[in-house]
């Protein structure tokens, strides 16, 4: 979290530069640097907007999409910046609202997966808590507990109970206060720390509303914040860290943006629109007749203990070349990766077509809906993209594939779980793509006061669970290199098979970039 220097006025350009660097990992090379040409995408745009709003700068996704360059974005922000706090005009979350709330589409999807031991599914942090705040105030157990409880009070997603079985299930209810047992102080010697932290990941009780479970180890000054995945997404985890730090050091918090119930209300209105009907027809109109499941090579149970990952990277020059190719082709880096990977899978297994369930951060603003750019909740969206084999180069088909997918990615699950029967039982190939962009860097918190600890503890998910997909594609940017990984079960595939898929995907990207002009 950036602490402003109050000895001089902070310009909009300064704040935009800090937000740009927080999103992309480097300052803009000059005023004409194009956000998207240097690796920016929709997730990084959301990250930049979040940082700007923490600094009280009014900004919207359109400012980045239409401004594009540093100067272009800056000119739009300077035209919009107000003398008063612009965030106060936005709808606020929390505010003591309680009672039954609708489940979001991605929560319906999570529940439909039928995970074994659903209480045991954590995201979260383990922090090293400094002894003093930046202004020298000591931080003791009372401060830590107060900050954690204030966090739960601020965000209704962190005090929501979920009933998954029985009459009226599944349902969700926001509680007026955090449930008992949310914060636990553990005075333990060093050799007992791993066990305490492992237990912390298993401390959720969905039907009691204990979706936030904190463990404070004062002797080691470790704070574990376990957050249940059903109530929030991975992007929210980083925002939780920002809020927790602000509460601990006494910094101002931005006004809370749209909450899950606001998102559900806006989605309900969108579902009655003409656009929703057109989108439903577009999703159903993909070439589903050619979609086949990826055949596994063995039929073991595929428990989490059998999961493995194979990964590789593009070097800096080829990463930059693919980014330029995406800009010239008017495609996203994600679209290129998706089509290249799908093509490699179809070739390896001789399939006429596959569907790829693609994860999206889900924070696009609905027409007339709430601003959830910095919201805490499970806003992530998943949508299927159908890719078919055929004549010509895979890159030639990438644009057509992208054009067939409706612009409003959040709409698929919203329509599916609202009862659109044409979307209920579509064939699945068992492939997921999580295009993480620079999420690893976003969550690194390298310059913040509250750092993640090097202490780790496994067991964030029940060992009796299985993955709902047979091939899980992960794409990330680490520094200036593009990294691609495939997660799989050794019960289902030989390592050599997955290594071939990873190499083939990266080879397609490299070859396409070379044909389009090659590394600079």
């Amino acid at each position: 979290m950036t602490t402003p220097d109050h000895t001089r006025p902070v310009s909009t350009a300064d704040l935009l530069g800090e937000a740009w660097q927080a999103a992309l990992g480097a300052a803009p090379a000059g005023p004409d640097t194009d956000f998207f040409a240097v690796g920016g995408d929709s997730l990084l745009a959301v990250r930049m907007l979040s940082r700007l709003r923490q600094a009280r700068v009014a900004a919207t996704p359109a400012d980045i999409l239409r401004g594009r360059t540093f100067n272009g974005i800056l000119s739009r922000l300077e035209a919009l910046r107000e003398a008063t706090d612009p965030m106060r005009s936005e709808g606020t979350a929390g505010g003591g609202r309680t009672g039954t709330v609708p489940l979001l589409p991605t929560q319906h999807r999570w529940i439909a997966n039928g995970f074994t031991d659903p209480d045991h599914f954590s995201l979260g942090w383990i922090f090293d808590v400094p002894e003093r705040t930046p202004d020298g105030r000591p931080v003791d157990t009372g401060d830590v507990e107060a900050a954690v409880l204030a966090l739960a009070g601020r965000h209704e997603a962190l005090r929501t109970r979920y009933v998954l079985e029985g009459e009226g299930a599944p349902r969700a209810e926001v509680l007026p206060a955090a449930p008992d047992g949310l914060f636990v102080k553990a005075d333990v010697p060093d050799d007992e720390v791993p066990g305490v932290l492992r237990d912390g990941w298993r401390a959720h009780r969905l039907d009691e509303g204990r979706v936030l479970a904190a463990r404070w180890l004062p002797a080691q000054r470790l704070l574990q914040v376990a957050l249940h995945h059903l109530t929030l997404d991975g992007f929210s985890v980083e925002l939780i860290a920002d809020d927790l730090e602000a509460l601990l050091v006494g910094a101002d918090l931005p006004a809370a943006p749209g909450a899950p119930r606001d998102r559900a209300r806006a989605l309900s209105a969108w579902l009655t629109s003409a656009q929703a009907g057109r989108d439903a027809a577009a999703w159903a109109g993909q070439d589903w007749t050619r979609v086949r499941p990826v055949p596994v090579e063995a039929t073991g149970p595929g428990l989490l203990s059998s999961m493995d990952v194979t990964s590789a990277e593009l070097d800096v020059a080829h990463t930059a070349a693919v980014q330029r190719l995406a800009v010239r082709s008017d495609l996203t880096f994600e679209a290129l990766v998706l089509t290249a990977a799908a093509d490699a899978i179809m070739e390896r297994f001789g399939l006429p077509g596959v569907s790829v369930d693609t994860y999206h951060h889900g924070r696009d603003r609905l027409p007339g809906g709430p601003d959830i750019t910095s919201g805490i909740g499970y806003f992530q969206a998943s949508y299927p993209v159908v890719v078919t084999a055929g004549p010509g180069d895979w890159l030639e088909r990438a644009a057509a594939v992208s054009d067939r997918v409706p612009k409003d990615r959040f709409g698929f699950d919203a329509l599916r779980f609202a009862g659109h029967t044409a979307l209920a039982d579509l064939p699945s190939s068992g492939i997921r793509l999580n295009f993480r962009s620079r999420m690893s860097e976003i969550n690194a918190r390298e310059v913040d006061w509250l750092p993640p600890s090097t202490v780790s503890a496994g067991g964030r998910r029940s060992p009796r669970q299985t993955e709902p997909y047979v091939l899980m594609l992960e794409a990330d940017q680490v520094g200036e290199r593009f990294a691609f990984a495939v997660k799989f079960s050794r019960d289902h595939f030989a390592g050599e098979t997955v290594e071939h898929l990873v190499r083939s995907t990266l080879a397609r990207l490299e070859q396409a970039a070379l044909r389009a002009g090659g590394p600079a």
Side-chain angles (χ1 to χ4, degrees):
M1 180 176 298
T2 301
T3 301
D5 177 3
H6 296 291
T7 63
R8 66 175 178 85
V10 181
S11 70
T12 304
D14 290 338
L15 296 172
L16 176 58
E18 292 172 1
W20 183 295
Q21 184 156 352
L24 291 169
D32 296 323
T33 302
D34 187 298
F35 179 81
F36 297 98
V38 294
D41 55 34
S42 62
L43 179 59
L44 295 178
V46 167
R47 176 58 175 159
M48 191 156 79
L49 289 170
S50 177
R51 288 286 177 168
L52 287 169
R53 285 166 182 168
Q54 287 175 1
R56 302 294 193 270
V57 177
T60 69
D63 295 322
I64 300 175
L65 292 171
R66 296 174 187 170
R68 294 192 69 95
T69 67
F70 183 86
N71 260 3
I73 298 169
L74 178 61
S75 64
R76 293 177 64 90
L77 299 187
E78 288 180 329
L80 290 171
R81 193 172 190 189
E82 301 171 356
T84 58
D85 180 358
M87 293 297 296
R88 300 301 177 187
S89 66
E90 305 238 0
T92 58
R97 295 187 294 175
T98 61
T100 301
V101 292
L103 290 169
L104 293 171
T106 196
Q107 291 176 318
H108 281 291
R109 175 185 278 266
W110 193 95
I111 293 168
N113 283 327
F115 291 110
T116 304
D117 301 331
D119 276 329
H120 186 182
F121 202 133
S122 272
L123 306 173
W125 293 98
I126 301 172
F127 296 110
D128 286 323
V129 180
E131 294 185 359
R132 294 183 178 274
T133 62
D135 61 3
R137 179 177 56 83
V139 179
D140 59 22
T141 295
D143 297 317
V144 176
E145 182 175 11
V148 170
L149 295 179
L151 192 68
R154 172 173 164 79
H155 298 292
E156 61 183 56
L158 301 182
R159 47 186 169 83
T160 301
R161 68 186 294 259
Y162 297 90
V163 180
L164 304 185
E165 297 180 352
E167 185 177 355
R171 67 180 188 274
E173 178 185 357
V174 176
L175 304 175
D180 293 339
L182 178 152
F183 182 87
V184 173
K185 176 185 173 185
D187 291 303
V188 296
D190 290 348
D191 61 348
E192 294 182 19
V193 167
V196 170
L197 297 177
R198 282 194 297 271
D199 288 344
W201 300 129
R202 299 193 293 266
H204 299 300
R205 299 293 181 271
L206 290 173
D207 61 353
E208 298 175 10
R210 200 190 305 165
V211 292
L212 164 61
R215 294 288 183 274
W216 167 236
L217 286 64
Q220 295 80 17
R221 299 200 64 81
L222 292 174
L223 175 62
Q224 179 189 42
V225 180
L227 305 153
H228 198 285
H229 193 16
L230 180 57
T231 206
L232 49 72
D233 52 30
F235 192 79
S236 295
V237 173
E238 197 274 340
L239 298 173
I240 287 289
D242 286 346
D243 276 9
L244 183 60
E245 177 178 314
L247 289 163
L248 283 168
V249 304
D252 290 337
L253 288 162
R261 72 171 75 216
D262 303 317
R263 179 67 164 179
R265 186 181 300 115
L267 279 172
S268 180
W270 179 81
L271 286 167
T272 66
S273 69
Q275 185 61 53
R278 290 191 291 270
D279 284 2
W283 291 115
Q286 296 190 83
D287 194 357
W288 294 100
T289 61
R290 300 181 67 184
V291 170
R292 301 289 186 274
V294 175
V296 297
E297 297 173 329
T299 56
L303 299 178
L304 290 187
S305 59
S306 73
M307 301 308 294
D308 205 345
V309 177
T310 295
S311 62
E313 294 181 342
L314 292 179
D315 62 26
V316 174
H318 282 98
T319 298
V322 176
Q323 288 169 344
R324 291 193 297 273
L325 171 63
V327 172
R328 286 197 296 268
S329 304
D330 197 24
L331 292 169
T332 63
F333 203 140
E334 178 183 31
L336 295 180
V337 173
L338 187 153
T339 315
D343 197 66
I345 291 169
M346 288 187 293
E347 179 185 71
R348 171 63 182 80
F349 294 101
L351 301 175
V354 294
S355 64
V356 181
D357 275 8
T358 306
Y359 279 20
H360 186 268
H361 54 74
R363 292 167 188 266
D364 294 334
R365 187 164 186 165
L366 279 71
D371 182 359
I372 56 170
T373 303
S374 302
I376 304 296
Y378 199 176
F379 303 121
Q380 189 179 62
S382 294
Y383 60 94
V385 179
V386 174
V387 185
T388 56
D393 186 78
W394 67 271
L395 185 58
E396 297 173 2
R397 300 195 299 275
V401 167
S402 183
D403 288 344
R404 284 196 296 269
V405 177
K407 178 181 177 182
D408 295 325
R409 309 296 205 246
F410 61 79
F412 178 79
D413 275 349
L415 291 160
R416 172 191 174 191
F417 291 107
H420 281 252
T421 55
L423 305 181
D425 297 310
L426 295 171
S428 171
S429 296
I431 307 169
R432 181 201 75 182
L433 171 63
N434 186 3
F435 190 87
R436 294 169 51 84
S437 187
R438 292 178 185 260
M439 183 64 80
S440 295
E441 294 178 7
I442 288 173
N443 284 343
R445 298 185 60 76
E446 293 175 353
V447 299
D448 297 88
W449 172 83
L450 184 65
S453 177
T454 57
V455 174
S456 62
R460 297 190 182 209
R461 292 177 56 182
S462 168
R464 300 198 303 143
Q465 289 179 4
T466 59
E467 295 285 4
Y469 298 95
V470 295
L471 290 175
M472 287 150 286
L473 318 180
E474 303 276 349
D476 202 350
Q477 188 156 340
V478 182
E480 299 306 314
R481 294 171 177 266
F482 170 72
F484 181 68
V486 177
K487 185 178 180 183
F488 66 101
S489 170
R490 294 186 301 274
D491 286 350
H492 296 153
F493 296 102
E496 294 79 4
T497 298
V498 179
E499 288 174 8
H500 172 80
L501 295 177
V502 171
R503 289 195 305 270
S504 295
T505 299
L506 294 184
R508 281 167 168 77
L509 293 171
E510 287 181 343
Q511 291 161 8
L514 286 170
R515 288 197 298 271

